[in-house]
Amino acid sequence: MKIAVYSLLDDELEFFQLMEKKYNTKFTFYKHYLNIDNAKEIQGFDSIVVNARDEINSEVLDKLKEYGIKYMSTRSAGYDNIDVDYADKIGIKIANVPSYSPNSVSEFTVLSLLALIKNYNNLIINGYNRNFIRNGLVAKELRNLNIGIIGTGRIGTLTIKHLKGFYPKNIFVYSRTEKDEIKNYAEYVSLDELYKNSDVIIYHIPLSKETKDMVCKDSINKMKKGVYIINVSRGGIVNNEDLLEGLKSGHIGGAALDVYTNEIEYVNKNIKDIVLKDSVIEELFKMKNVIITPHYAFYTDEALLNMVTTSIDNIFEFMNTGKCINKIIKS
């Protein structure tokens, strides 16, 4: 079987090599993203493996159909970059990796929260510059803060459990469905109540029509003055212009963004001497109360192993049975 792997990261290679041995085959690797401009490369392959940054729109899917590809797999949980409904319409089956390591993202969320309230990013930068003045870097204690968490899936649930050990003042949770397990650690409240009472708001939700631009001028105005915002889910949840305005006005006290709408411009790239087209993120880069990381929360050895092995297993399950336990169902 001929399989093309797109958006390969160097750190993934050893895990793909394990799967080559498992299935006695060889993959063809591409480090660039798949989009309509390079879709002709697909010709001659039986299947493809992508990730969350490949652009799998209707045009690309038409090319897949034209070249006889029936199955594909994304080595990610999210798939908002894939036109799943159109794929289903033209008979292409797609699978994802629904859970590769929720703990990795949850741990990084806690790290981001602590870094924000402890000014840790600024301490590190100052230390590299041999500046050890503490003035202006007064930290906050987690036990005095109300934490709001939006979303109680696998990752959100773990974050709640992890944070409970820090004994925050309260943990407020908003989700469309309630779990009895969560009630042992946190209090379910309405979204407006969460906005009104939380000192920190953490987003653990997928990107959808309902959640796009969830952090916007209207919602920010409902939040406590000085609120910290943490987004480790999808960049599209935040309206970047409104976030910037909230930071400039002081209504938002700080933000940790591991994801960003136009992150394809900088993720996994060295942009030290490059000015990005996105003027908003260029301003965010300069703010001392903003932490921007390169979609890194998931990036552990366990997560990479699970993402690669599951995505390849998905392809062979499709090929051998016509079905897959991780098949994405159209919306």
Side-chain angles (χ1 to χ4, degrees):
M1 183 191 301
K2 296 184 68 176
I3 298 175
V5 176
Y6 279 88
S7 302
L8 176 75
L9 301 172
D10 291 340
D11 294 329
E12 294 177 312
L13 186 57
E14 64 177 296
F15 305 122
F16 276 114
Q17 290 170 339
L18 290 175
M19 298 307 284
E20 286 179 324
K21 290 180 181 178
K22 177 178 178 179
Y23 289 106
N24 191 28
T25 189
K26 288 290 183 182
F27 307 133
T28 299
F29 299 108
Y30 297 103
K31 290 190 175 182
H32 55 258
Y33 306 133
L34 174 60
N35 57 39
I36 191 58
D37 295 329
N38 55 37
K40 289 183 179 179
E41 297 169 345
I42 301 168
Q43 193 167 10
F45 289 102
D46 300 303
S47 187
I48 63 169
V49 177
V50 299
N51 75 11
R53 289 184 293 280
D54 293 291
E55 299 173 15
I56 315 299
N57 55 27
S58 59
E59 291 180 285
V60 172
L61 288 165
D62 280 335
K63 287 294 182 183
L64 293 179
K65 182 73 173 179
E66 178 185 341
Y67 299 145
I69 290 179
K70 298 178 181 179
Y71 312 113
M72 62 177 288
S73 182
T74 178
R75 52 193 192 278
S76 61
Y79 47 86
D80 49 273
N81 59 312
I82 302 173
D83 191 336
V84 174
D85 288 349
Y86 189 75
D88 185 77
K89 180 180 177 180
I90 63 175
I92 295 176
K93 296 180 180 180
I94 307 171
N96 70 334
V97 183
S99 178
Y100 37 85
S101 181
N103 198 70
S104 63
V105 180
S106 176
E107 287 181 356
F108 193 83
T109 301
V110 176
L111 171 66
S112 299
L113 190 163
L114 291 171
L116 274 179
I117 67 173
K118 301 296 185 184
N119 292 304
Y120 196 66
N121 58 317
N122 293 307
L123 289 172
I124 293 294
I125 293 169
N126 288 352
Y128 285 147
N129 292 314
R130 301 173 65 86
N131 175 5
F132 296 98
I133 297 173
R134 294 178 301 200
N135 292 341
L137 295 174
V138 177
K140 297 181 184 298
E141 295 186 26
L142 190 46
R143 69 187 182 92
N144 296 323
L145 302 180
N146 290 326
I147 310 300
I149 297 177
I150 299 176
T152 56
R154 294 183 182 92
I155 298 171
T157 298
L158 276 172
T159 298
I160 291 165
K161 291 179 178 180
H162 288 153
L163 286 175
K164 189 66 175 179
F166 287 89
Y167 300 99
K169 196 172 182 181
N170 293 287
I171 300 178
F172 300 124
V173 176
Y174 172 76
S175 178
R176 285 186 290 183
T177 58
E178 295 189 6
K179 301 177 182 177
D180 289 337
E181 178 189 17
I182 298 298
K183 295 176 183 178
N184 295 321
Y185 303 92
E187 177 186 352
Y188 279 101
V189 296
S190 70
L191 190 56
D192 282 351
E193 286 180 282
L194 187 147
Y195 286 152
K196 180 181 178 181
N197 296 307
S198 298
D199 299 294
V200 180
I201 299 177
I202 299 168
Y203 290 84
H204 281 312
I205 50 177
L207 179 62
S208 66
K209 292 178 181 178
E210 292 74 27
T211 62
K212 180 173 171 51
D213 289 342
M214 192 173 185
V215 179
C216 61
K217 187 176 295 185
D218 288 342
S219 62
I220 291 170
N221 287 337
K222 296 177 182 179
M223 297 176 188
K224 288 181 72 172
K225 183 175 174 57
V227 65
Y228 294 98
I229 290 176
I230 298 172
N231 185 15
V232 290
S233 48
R234 283 291 183 266
I237 289 167
V238 176
N239 181 299
N240 303 320
E241 290 79 8
D242 291 352
L243 174 73
L244 179 61
E245 183 179 329
L247 286 160
K248 285 182 173 179
S249 71
H251 196 99
I252 298 175
L257 309 173
D258 189 50
V259 288
Y260 188 80
T261 308
N262 302 319
E263 65 184 44
I264 196 169
E265 281 198 71
Y266 65 86
V267 166
N268 217 36
K269 299 176 183 177
N270 185 339
I271 59 166
K272 181 180 179 182
D273 300 316
I274 299 173
V275 177
L276 300 181
K277 297 176 184 177
D278 187 335
S279 60
V280 173
I281 198 167
E282 284 291 349
E283 288 198 64
L284 293 173
F285 282 145
K286 298 171 185 175
M287 292 186 160
K288 292 185 176 181
N289 57 341
V290 175
I291 300 172
I292 297 176
T293 47
H295 205 139
Y296 183 81
F298 75 95
Y299 209 68
T300 64
D301 51 359
E302 180 176 345
L304 290 178
L305 174 64
N306 292 340
M307 292 164 71
V308 169
T309 56
T310 303
S311 64
I312 296 299
D313 284 339
N314 286 342
I315 292 295
F316 280 89
E317 186 177 350
F318 270 140
M319 296 296 292
N320 293 331
T321 69
K323 301 176 182 179
C324 180
I325 192 173
N326 296 322
K327 181 179 182 292
I328 298 172
I329 307 299
K330 70 175 183 176
S331 59

